[in-house]
Amino acid sequence: MMGWLKRGRKKTADGADAPIVVEGARKSGGGRTSNRIVMTMSVFFAVYAVMAGRLVYYGTHQPEDNGPPAGRPTAARPDIVDRNGEVLATDIKTASLYAEPRRIVDIDEAIDKLATVLPDIDYEQVYNRLNSKAGFVWLRRQLTPKQEADILQLGIPGIGFRSEKRRFYPAGSTVAHVVGLVNVDNKGIAGMEKWVDDQGLAVLQQTGLATANDLKPVKLSIDLRVQHIIHDEITQAMERYRAIAAGAVVLNAKTGEILGMASVPDFDPNNPFNANEKDRLNRMSGGVYEMGSTFKTFTTAMALDSGRVKITDKFDASHPLHYGRFTIHDYHAKGRALSVPEIFIYSSNIGTAKEAEKISIPEHKEFLTKLGLLTKMPLELPEVATPLSPAKWTPLNQMTIAFGHGVATTPLQTAVAGVAVMNGGIYIPPTLLPRTEEQAEAVEHRVLRAQTSAEMRYLMRLNVEKGSGRQAAVPGFLVGGKTGTADKVVNGRYAHDKNFDAFLAAFPIDDPQYIVLVIIDEPKPYGGWPATAGANCAPTAGAIIRRIAPMLDVEPEFGHDTQALLVSYR
């Protein structure tokens, strides 16, 4: 090092060493270093300037609609099948039409050609899409194979097809309210389709793990044969009685399974353009109504189960019951004292109100709560309404609730409570999934004494033999039931010209296997009969029982003189 310094030094005139060479070398090296620093800083400034510019651009501009990634298929869904394996919902392959606007040569010509295959095409909307700077725009999702073939033959440059999955419902509207439907991206938005998503399918789809081969079918408790009969009978009833709606449900009295449930008007999930219209509501689980005299079933059961009323007791129903400025009348007034069975088959409001007076208001509320009539019912369907009841019950509230006015519940809740009254006193939560009797035992609980249930079955049968339910009688089958005809509440007042009718039935009533509930909303008089439940809901329930009993292996029982009829049922 010292030698290098010595070689770089130069003698001055006075012989002293001068650092010329060393100084010159130092100046030269410092200049190159400065240049490198300037260049490096310039590069960094340029890079950061570009990055900042891009950030500003993305922060102030909307991203272009480039559609889903090219290789991303529509998420798969599992099949939904009935209890016998019949397919209720499945995926099918379909094609969706897209365009690349930058490749469209003549927008007007392209739209004119597309309109020959898709006559309902929105010209302005499609023009705006094709005139955009987007690299990808959807034009129509889920085309039919014929539409795809016809558009291909048009030879329009800049458009193409992407393979997708579409949900197909073989049963159409028959089971629409139960199965539900999906949106255009195959996501469940109603019914059991939404329930399936909520069980983890949505997460699998988001992570890309939902593949068609790995998804096992989802089996429901629904029996498609029963469902078809229910749907057919209530559709006929709505038309026959010129009603605004009708519905029915069939429950297994031993397991709580829903074998069939329908509400009309409904919709076709394959073309659900009107599914959101108000009158398409699933009235069986999504609507709440005052159920009228069907509630006398629960009042009578409550009174008998308390031990304070015996089936042999009588109550004075000779005069209307006055409470403050309100008066309670009987629709079929007898003008005398009535026994408990007479109160039931004559559907006496006065007698039923007096039965309820034997029970305290807290006990009354507790009893209806045990039957699940005052709280939201647990069910797989998302479309379940919450019952309405007074915040504070007065003695007048208790009397009117006793005969079905003042509390609004869903028809399905009424049917489920009816199961408990007639199956020996056991409450079983309803389900749309298969359930064995052993599995039902794990979720059920007793709400009535077995003796009370037996007495109620006697009253229900008596009502079909001699009371308001006579038109529900089915030769060969022991049917029991209770009618309910309620004035509808319109704008906060009872409308005497608009009824909500219901009939709660069980068969065979000596050992109920199935519960049937039929409702008809705003029926009109028919065939000389008034628009009451005994004239419309009872015969509709009878028609359903007549058709479903043989296929559910409920054996008809005829006397020795009716063996020929027995053969005809087999």
Side-chain angles (χ1 to χ4, degrees), residues 159-233:
I159 68 168
F161 298 91
R162 182 163 292 173
S163 179
E164 293 191 298
K165 291 185 177 65
R166 177 182 180 179
R167 208 59 168 163
F168 176 62
Y169 302 92
S173 62
T174 302
V175 68
H177 281 124
V178 172
V179 175
L181 71 165
V182 299
N183 64 13
V184 72
D185 292 318
N186 234 16
K187 307 292 184 185
I189 57 174
M192 293 303 289
E193 290 280 31
K194 187 173 190 311
W195 179 83
V196 170
D197 277 26
D198 294 341
Q199 301 310 300
L201 178 64
V203 176
L204 290 176
Q205 290 175 334
Q206 290 171 0
T207 55
L209 299 177
T211 59
N213 295 332
D214 298 332
L215 299 175
K216 295 181 179 178
V218 176
K219 179 178 285 191
L220 304 186
S221 60
I222 294 292
D223 185 322
L224 188 56
R225 302 168 304 169
V226 174
Q227 181 72 23
H228 170 74
I229 290 171
I230 290 174
H231 187 267
D232 182 47
E233 290 294 340

Side-chain angles (χ1 to χ4, degrees), residues 289-291 295 368 373-374 388-390 393 401 404-409:
Y289 307 91
E290 292 188 352
M291 296 300 294
F295 250 54
L368 295 184
L373 291 165
L374 300 183
L388 302 175
S389 62
W393 287 26
I401 289 170
H405 290 282
V407 165
T409 67

Side-chain angles (χ1 to χ4, degrees), residues 91-252:
D91 281 347
I92 59 173
K93 288 184 178 179
T94 185
S96 290
L97 178 67
Y98 70 87
E100 298 174 85
R102 295 166 188 165
R103 296 182 54 207
I104 298 294
V105 178
D106 187 326
I107 295 177
D108 293 321
E109 182 184 17
I111 298 176
D112 288 342
K113 287 185 175 180
L114 287 174
T116 62
V117 180
L118 306 173
D120 59 337
I121 197 168
D122 186 325
Y123 185 93
E124 183 177 357
Q125 182 186 67
V126 173
Y127 184 90
N128 290 334
R129 290 186 179 185
L130 297 183
N131 197 38
S132 70
K133 296 180 180 179
F136 177 103
V137 293
W138 285 118
L139 294 182
R140 180 68 62 91
R141 307 287 291 274
Q142 300 180 346
L143 298 173
T144 65
K146 184 176 188 309
Q147 288 173 325
E148 180 186 12
D150 291 345
I151 293 174
L152 272 174
Q153 291 182 352
L154 297 175
I156 307 172
I159 68 168
F161 298 91
R162 182 163 292 173
S163 179
E164 293 191 298
K165 291 185 177 65
R166 177 182 180 179
R167 208 59 168 163
F168 176 62
Y169 302 92
S173 62
T174 302
V175 68
H177 281 124
V178 172
V179 175
L181 71 165
V182 299
N183 64 13
V184 72
D185 292 318
N186 234 16
K187 307 292 184 185
I189 57 174
M192 293 303 289
E193 290 280 31
K194 187 173 190 311
W195 179 83
V196 170
D197 277 26
D198 294 341
Q199 301 310 300
L201 178 64
V203 176
L204 290 176
Q205 290 175 334
Q206 290 171 0
T207 55
L209 299 177
T211 59
N213 295 332
D214 298 332
L215 299 175
K216 295 181 179 178
V218 176
K219 179 178 285 191
L220 304 186
S221 60
I222 294 292
D223 185 322
L224 188 56
R225 302 168 304 169
V226 174
Q227 181 72 23
H228 170 74
I229 290 171
I230 290 174
H231 187 267
D232 182 47
E233 290 294 340
I234 63 173
T235 300
Q236 291 186 49
M238 188 177 76
E239 180 179 352
R240 181 186 308 119
Y241 304 113
R242 293 174 289 142
I244 64 170
V249 61
V250 174
L251 287 158
N252 185 315

Side-chain angles (χ1 to χ4, degrees), residues 73-88:
T74 308
R77 301 184 63 80
D79 285 355
I80 296 178
V81 301
D82 83 337
R83 64 188 303 112
N84 300 313
E86 295 292 335
V87 176
L88 304 177

